[in-house]
Amino acid sequence: MGPGSGRAPAEAQAPALAPAPVGPVLGIEAVDDPEPGARVTGVHVPGPGYSAGLVRGDVILRFGATRTGSAAGLARAVARARAGREVVLTVRHRDGTRLRLTVTPGITT
């Protein structure tokens, strides 16, 4: 019906908001490194990565038993982890030294 029909126009409905996925996080940003691994470009303070000792420029080579060949590989490994349960990271620092750091993934609330 057109104008003057006595009916109010249908209100546009806002799309329903889906709940944000809850999963384990390290509190870092990472990109693909030219060599296999995920290069840390940012560390949230406070956060699990910061507490473990990760710093900008570190390259995460392993997350537990999983090789992290890329940032996406790291994201998949973290997603499979259990929040609150320790995981050992194998990390290459900028100076080339390799370290094993223990991280406890958290959740975003």
Side-chain angles (χ1 to χ4, degrees):
M1 303 200 141
S5 65
R7 291 188 167 191
E11 291 185 29
Q13 291 185 353
L17 296 176
V22 176
V25 295
L26 294 182
I28 65 167
E29 285 92 39
V31 297
D32 291 348
D33 190 65
E35 296 181 25
R39 178 172 297 275
V40 176
T41 58
V43 180
H44 296 231
V45 178
Y50 175 79
S51 296
L54 287 172
V55 296
R56 190 171 182 224
D58 283 349
V59 177
I60 300 173
L61 305 171
R62 286 185 163 290
F63 182 87
T66 304
R67 287 185 187 181
T68 55
S70 65
L74 173 62
R76 285 189 296 273
V78 172
R80 289 190 301 266
R82 295 191 60 176
R85 213 172 256 177
E86 290 184 347
V87 177
V88 175
L89 302 176
T90 302
V91 176
R92 184 178 66 238
H93 278 304
R94 280 188 246 186
D95 65 4
T97 59
R98 289 185 185 223
L99 296 175
R100 292 170 55 97
L101 303 174
T102 300
V103 66
T104 304
I107 58 169
T108 302
T109 58

